[in-house]
C-alpha cells in the first residue's frame, strides 16, 4: 500500500508554545490529506480536510486559529497546534487519499502530543 | 444518517477461532467500505476493503461479507492469532462528500 509518514511520533511541550506536525506521502501525490484526533479508546475524530494549494476545511467545533493546517505541496501537509494547552494533549493522525476523490485512505503513524 | 454503527465494542476470541465484527449504515451514498487495523500507539492500517457490487471479498484470513439490501457489512478473521489483537475500525466512503465515516471501533483480544 501507499506510505504516509508522520513526524514527530511524539512531542512534549510547555503550555503556551506551538507545535508543528508534518505529514508526508512518500510514494504518491496527495491532493487531499486529512487530520484526525483520537482520544484514548475512541474512534477517529476528523478535524479538517487539507487540500493542496487552498485553505483547509475544518469540521464543526474545531478552532481553525488553534489548529493551523498548511498543504503547500502534493506530498506535505502540516498541522500546527498554536499556543498549546494541556487539553490539546492527544494523539493526532494524518491520512492521505490515494487516487482521487474515491481513492483509498492511508494513515500516518500518528503523533502523540503532551502539553505540560 | 452519517453514522456507521459498529459492534461489538470489544471481543475476546481463543486462538484459532473466528472473530466477527459487524457494521451497519443507513446512508445510500456510502459506496466503499474499508476496514482498518490499529495497534496501540500507531496509526490505522488499511486491512481490506469492498465495494457494494460484490457480496464477499477474501484476502488471506480476512473476509468481508457485504449485504447491500440490509446495509450491513462484516469482517471475519479466520484462525485468529494473538498477533491479531488490535482495534478494528470499519469505515464507509460518502460518495457525496468524499469523506470517510468511521465506526466506533472494536477492541479484539485473541487469547493464546
Amino acid at each position: 500500500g501507499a506510505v504516509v509518514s508522520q513526524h514527530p511520533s511524539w512531542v512534549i511541550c510547555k503550555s503556551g508554545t506551538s507545535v508543528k506536525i508534518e505529514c508526508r506521502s512518500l510514494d504518491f501525490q496527495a491532493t487531499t490529506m486529512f487530520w484526525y484526533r483520537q482520544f484514548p479508546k475512541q474512534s477517529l475524530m476528523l478535524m479538517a480536510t487539507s487540500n493542496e494549494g487552498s485553505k483547509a476545511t475544518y469540521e464543526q467545533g474545531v478552532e481553525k486559529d488553534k489548529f493551523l493546517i498548511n498543504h503547500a505541496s502534493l506530498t506535505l501537509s502540516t498541522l500546527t497546534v498554536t499556543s498549546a494547552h494541556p487539553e490539546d494533549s492527544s494523539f493526532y493522525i494524518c491520512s492521505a487519499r490515494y487516487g482521487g476523490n474515491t481513492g483509498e485512505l492511508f494513515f500516518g503513524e500518528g503523533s502523540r502530543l503532551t502539553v505540560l | 444518517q452519517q453514522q456507521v454503527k459498529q459492534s461489538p465494542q470489544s471481543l475476546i476470541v481463543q486462538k484459532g477461532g473466528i472473530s466477527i465484527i459487524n457494521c451497519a449504515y443507513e446512508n445510500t451514498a456510502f459506496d466503499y467500505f474499508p476496514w482498518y487495523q490499529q495497534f496501540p500507539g500507531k496509526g490505522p492500517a488499511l486491512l481490506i476493503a469492498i465495494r457494494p457490487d460484490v457480496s464477499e471479498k477474501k484476502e488471506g484470513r480476512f473476509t468481508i461479507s457485504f449485504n447491500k439490501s440490509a446495509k450491513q457489512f462484516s469482517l471475519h478473521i479466520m484462525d485468529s492469532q494473538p498477533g491479531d489483537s488490535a482495534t478494528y475500525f470499519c469505515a464507509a466512503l460518502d460518495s457525496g462528500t468524499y469523506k470517510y465515516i468511521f465506526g466506533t471501533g472494536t477492541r479484539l483480544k485473541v487469547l493464546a
Side-chain angles (χ1 to χ4, degrees):
Chain A
V3 181
V4 177
S5 174
Q6 192 171 338
H7 179 81
S9 300
W10 56 272
V11 56
I12 301 172
C13 70
K14 291 183 178 180
S15 185
T17 61
S18 295
V19 174
K20 179 184 285 188
I21 301 170
E22 294 187 346
C23 180
R24 295 180 184 272
S25 54
L26 296 186
D27 52 0
F28 67 103
Q29 292 183 330
T31 306
T32 304
M33 291 185 176
F34 301 91
W35 287 94
Y36 295 84
R37 183 172 180 176
Q38 187 177 37
F39 293 100
K41 298 183 180 180
Q42 293 193 22
S43 190
L44 303 158
M45 184 190 82
L46 179 64
M47 298 175 65
T49 302
S50 170
N51 294 298
E52 186 268 336
S54 64
K55 289 183 178 181
T57 303
Y58 291 82
E59 296 298 302
Q60 194 171 12
V62 177
E63 298 176 63
K64 58 183 179 182
D65 294 331
K66 158 71 77 175
F67 301 101
L68 299 180
I69 292 171
N70 183 276
H71 194 156
S73 77
L74 287 171
T75 60
L76 174 64
S77 176
T78 60
L79 168 68
T80 301
V81 183
T82 63
S83 186
H85 288 93
E87 58 264 30
D88 298 324
S89 298
S90 192
F91 192 53
Y92 294 90
I93 315 173
C94 73
S95 67
R97 183 143 56 197
Y98 177 78
N101 284 336
T102 58
E104 293 176 327
L105 208 57
F106 292 93
F107 285 86
E109 287 290 286
S111 299
R112 170 75 59 193
L113 169 63
T114 301
V115 184
L116 303 177
Chain B
Q1 236 204 351
Q2 277 299 98
Q3 286 183 329
V4 177
K5 295 181 180 179
Q6 183 171 348
S7 63
Q9 190 174 16
S10 62
L11 181 61
I12 299 175
V13 174
Q14 293 287 339
K15 179 181 176 182
I18 302 173
S19 303
I20 301 174
I21 304 171
N22 302 298
C23 286
Y25 64 98
E26 295 181 0
N27 192 336
T28 55
F30 292 172
D31 66 357
Y32 180 64
F33 304 89
W35 284 88
Y36 289 86
Q37 178 189 57
Q38 185 180 28
F39 292 105
K42 300 293 185 182
L46 180 62
L47 196 59
I48 187 173
I50 197 168
R51 295 198 183 274
D53 51 347
V54 297
S55 59
E56 185 176 281
K57 183 175 182 180
K58 183 175 181 179
E59 288 184 1
R61 295 184 296 109
F62 301 93
T63 299
I64 300 179
S65 296
F66 186 81
N67 185 328
K68 188 174 181 179
S69 61
K71 298 191 187 69
Q72 295 174 350
F73 58 109
S74 60
L75 175 69
H76 296 234
I77 306 175
M78 312 299 286
D79 187 27
S80 298
Q81 299 297 312
D84 297 330
S85 297
T87 299
Y88 292 81
F89 292 96
C90 62
L93 175 63
D94 186 331
S95 61
T97 65
Y98 301 121
K99 287 182 181 178
Y100 279 86
I101 309 301
F102 286 85
T104 49
T106 297
R107 288 200 304 280
L108 171 66
K109 184 170 184 177
V110 181
L111 301 176

